[in-house]
Amino acid sequence: MFSSLSIHVSPLLWFYKYLFHTLFISTNIHKFSLLFNLQQVRHEDGKMRWQKVEVKPEEHVKIPKFAETRNSSSFDLYDNHFNDYVTSILTSKTPQDKPLWEIHIINYPTTNAASTIIFKLHHSLGDGYSLMAALLSCLQRADDPSLPLSFPSRPQLDSNYENKSLFKKLHFGINSFFSSILDFGYSIIKARMIPDDITPIRSGYKGIDSQPVILSNISFSLDQIKEIKSKLGVTINDVVCGMIFYGIRLYMEEMNEKTKTSNSTALVMLNTRNIKGYQSLKEMQKPESKGLWGNKLSFLQIPIPKPNKSGNSNPLEFVWEASDVLKRKKSSFSVHLIGLLVDLKMKLRGPEAVAKGIYNTIGNSSVVISNMVGPVEKMALANHPVNGLYFTMTCGPEDVNITIMSYVKILRLTMKTLKGFINEHKLKFCMEKAFEVIFKESMEISEIPTKN
């Protein structure tokens, strides 16, 4: 599996020189540099191992040439070229005979930015946390480069736990233990034996990892999401998950009403590091660090809520149900048990077996969701302002992949969908409608319901 990070910036006239100066000369972090000059080679015992090789920049940095537009004020032609080029990147696999990364510098204006840089990085280099930390090390605050980037604070999972009585703590511990065992067992069985129903968001086709896909972006106001959060007494993650689930059910009903009550699961990809924010590359290399570089993966399997028995759906119920499920999952250790199982499988059977297991798990689900937290200040890359930042996963067996990235006061939802099967325009419309309806109805609530 691959990851793709995309940055919208102003024109990049000398970024090529800056990039390699930053990554290979300026940085004194040896391990970070090694990530870009290592190649996986199969040895005589059949196992894949990293081997240091010489990096040829011209093999990794791609600068495409598009046909010039007749009307310089029109971005339509460049948007079409850009979309086609991105599709080709998402469906092509990185050659295995060289270090597993590519950088695509698209120095043409689109409706979103003057230029775009795409980092295509193999997942074996690291998970989303590791790769995002590496990327952010190349960026600075636009207002004052001497200051570090800052990120939204994360609430404590249970700030009242220490104040609970011994009986309540014991009751919580017993419930958490049995909940963890049940969740862990269900996750293993679901991943191996119980695929989701065939619906408008899950085709069940084999070999779709190399089929054409389409990338769509939707931007939401973080301030509005925070208003919904306050009105409903939930978290930002609850609001976003509820909106996605409601939008998916709207789309399923639009495409085939019979499938609106089908069994569909969202696979939420997570990292298992017990940390509040990003660590620097230097800190991630320390043996005692909780944010060690690499893949620290786990996942949650969340059933997508269905309409009630009467067939009607209260949009706010999707948020509250998402909140209940996520709250219960947070008190469960199943995520960490799955993470330990993945680590054990990695040691005993190697990365290929782990990749195959995750691939099959994704294939049995209807939609894959992943999120990353971005900085609260505007960023710059070599003094070029960054207008937007988003990421996605490529070459997977899912029909719908949704990633969420916050940046300043915007939450960007990126959807990678299977071309020809998913109606990306209708799915985008349903997501926007879901957010609008949830925002409108939550603003009409005078007080938080006590049961939630």
Side-chain angles (χ1 to χ4, degrees):
M1 184 180 295
F2 301 84
S3 292
S4 179
L5 302 165
S6 184
I7 308 178
H8 290 159
V9 297
S10 57
L12 300 169
L13 302 179
W14 49 280
F15 173 74
Y16 179 88
K17 177 180 177 182
Y18 169 83
L19 174 75
F20 287 97
H21 181 269
T22 300
L23 296 186
F24 295 108
I25 300 176
S26 295
T27 180
N28 293 318
I29 303 173
H30 182 60
K31 189 171 183 178
F32 178 58
S33 299
L34 286 178
L35 289 172
F36 296 90
N37 62 0
L38 289 178
Q39 174 185 330
Q40 285 192 325
V41 178
R42 189 176 299 278
H43 286 230
E44 294 180 356
D45 58 4
K47 294 183 179 180
M48 300 290 288
R49 292 186 176 88
W50 292 104
Q51 179 174 307
K52 188 175 180 180
V53 297
E54 180 184 356
V55 175
K56 298 179 180 178
E58 63 276 6
E59 293 183 351
H60 297 271
V61 178
K62 315 292 183 181
I63 307 177
K65 296 293 183 182
F66 295 162
E68 297 294 335
T69 60
R70 293 183 179 180
N71 183 0
S72 59
S73 64
S74 174
F75 294 157
D76 291 340
L77 187 57
Y78 286 134
D79 280 346
N80 291 334
H81 282 311
F82 175 81
N83 293 333
D84 291 342
Y85 188 77
V86 169
T87 295
S88 68
I89 294 174
L90 295 177
T91 54
S92 62
K93 294 186 177 181
T94 303
Q96 303 291 299
D97 58 349
K98 59 184 179 181
L100 303 173
W101 59 273
E102 294 176 357
I103 297 174
H104 301 259
I105 303 174
I106 305 173
N107 209 9
Y108 290 93
T110 64
T111 52
N112 293 317
S115 295
T116 304
I117 308 173
I118 298 176
F119 293 77
K120 186 175 181 182
L121 309 163
H122 197 284
H123 228 307
S124 62
L125 295 176
D127 56 16
Y129 173 89
S130 299
L131 299 176
M132 189 61 67
L135 175 65
L136 292 174
S137 69
C138 300
L139 302 172
Q140 307 86 31
R141 281 182 56 159
D143 58 345
D144 189 346
S146 64
L147 296 176
L149 294 168
S150 57
F151 301 86
S153 59
R154 294 177 60 185
Q156 296 181 356
L157 295 182
D158 192 355
S159 57
N160 298 320
Y161 179 78
E162 294 298 329
N163 299 325
K164 292 181 178 179
S165 65
L166 179 62
F167 175 77
K168 288 185 176 180
K169 287 182 179 179
L170 182 62
H171 182 262
F172 175 82
I174 293 173
N175 283 343
S176 179
F177 173 79
F178 284 105
S179 176
S180 300
I181 297 301
L182 289 174
D183 283 346
F184 178 69
Y186 170 78
S187 295
I188 299 302
I189 295 173
K190 177 74 177 68
R192 294 175 178 269
M193 303 171 56
I194 310 177
D196 281 357
D197 294 338
I198 302 300
T199 65
I201 62 170
R202 182 174 183 272
S203 64
Y205 300 154
K206 300 297 182 181
I208 65 174
D209 49 340
S210 59
Q211 296 301 308
V213 296
I214 295 177
L215 215 58
S216 305
N217 285 288
I218 313 174
S219 294
F220 300 105
S221 167
L222 266 176
D223 288 338
Q224 287 186 318
I225 292 175
K226 289 176 181 178
E227 288 185 66
I228 299 172
K229 163 185 172 292
S230 300
K231 281 286 188 176
L232 303 186
V234 295
T235 68
I236 289 178
N237 281 341
D238 298 337
V239 175
V240 175
C241 283
M243 180 268 293
I244 291 174
F245 293 158
Y246 183 50
I248 287 174
R249 285 298 180 188
L250 288 177
Y251 176 79
M252 293 171 68
E253 185 175 2
E254 284 281 331
M255 301 302 292
N256 185 346
E257 188 175 359
K258 294 180 181 179
T259 65
K260 67 180 182 181
T261 58
S262 299
N263 293 317
S264 301
T265 306
L267 187 74
V268 181
M269 304 301 297
L270 305 166
N271 92 80
T272 57
R273 297 172 179 83
N274 185 23
I275 48 180
K276 292 184 178 180
Y278 294 108
Q279 291 184 312
S280 68
L281 293 169
K282 188 174 182 180
E283 290 173 333
M284 280 196 290
Q285 294 176 72
K286 296 178 180 179
E288 68 276 11
S289 172
K290 294 180 180 180
L292 283 173
W293 184 280
N295 279 285
K296 306 293 180 182
L297 294 175
S298 187
F299 55 82
L300 284 177
Q301 290 163 314
I302 303 178
I304 298 177
K306 303 176 183 179
N308 55 36
K309 294 181 180 180
S310 64
N312 299 320
S313 300
N314 177 1
L316 301 186
E317 289 294 338
F318 282 84
V319 179
W320 282 321
E321 188 164 345
S323 178
D324 290 340
V325 172
L326 290 174
K327 189 179 296 182
R328 183 178 63 82
K329 296 286 187 179
K330 288 175 183 177
S331 65
S332 168
F333 297 104
S334 62
V335 171
H336 298 284
L337 291 175
I338 292 171
L340 290 174
L341 182 63
V342 171
D343 289 342
L344 181 62
K345 193 172 184 179
M346 177 76 77
K347 293 177 181 178
L348 296 179
R349 300 183 59 188
E352 291 175 319
V354 172
K356 183 179 179 180
I358 294 176
Y359 184 93
N360 292 335
T361 301
I362 293 175
N364 283 344
S365 304
S366 295
V367 57
V368 179
I369 301 175
S370 182
N371 76 303
M372 299 292 294
V373 176
V376 299
E377 305 95 3
K378 275 276 189 180
M379 301 182 297
L381 178 62
N383 296 321
H384 294 275
V386 175
N387 295 336
L389 174 67
Y390 62 94
F391 72 101
T392 190
M393 294 179 283
T394 69
C395 298
E398 72 279 5
D399 297 292
V400 180
N401 183 294
I402 298 176
T403 56
I404 304 108
M405 182 86 194
S406 64
Y407 179 48
V408 193
K409 293 187 176 183
I410 296 296
L411 190 82
R412 184 189 292 250
L413 188 146
T414 301
M415 298 185 296
K416 179 175 71 70
T417 55
L418 180 62
K419 186 175 183 179
F421 176 71
I422 301 292
N423 186 328
E424 71 277 4
H425 300 293
K426 186 165 288 188
L427 180 59
K428 183 176 179 179
F429 171 79
C430 289
M431 289 294 177
E432 293 172 334
K433 180 181 178 181
F435 180 77
E436 291 172 3
V437 172
I438 289 174
F439 178 77
K440 180 181 178 181
E441 295 201 8
S442 63
M443 292 304 103
E444 295 174 355
I445 295 178
S446 57
E447 60 182 22
I448 302 173
T450 55
K451 67 177 182 177
N452 290 295

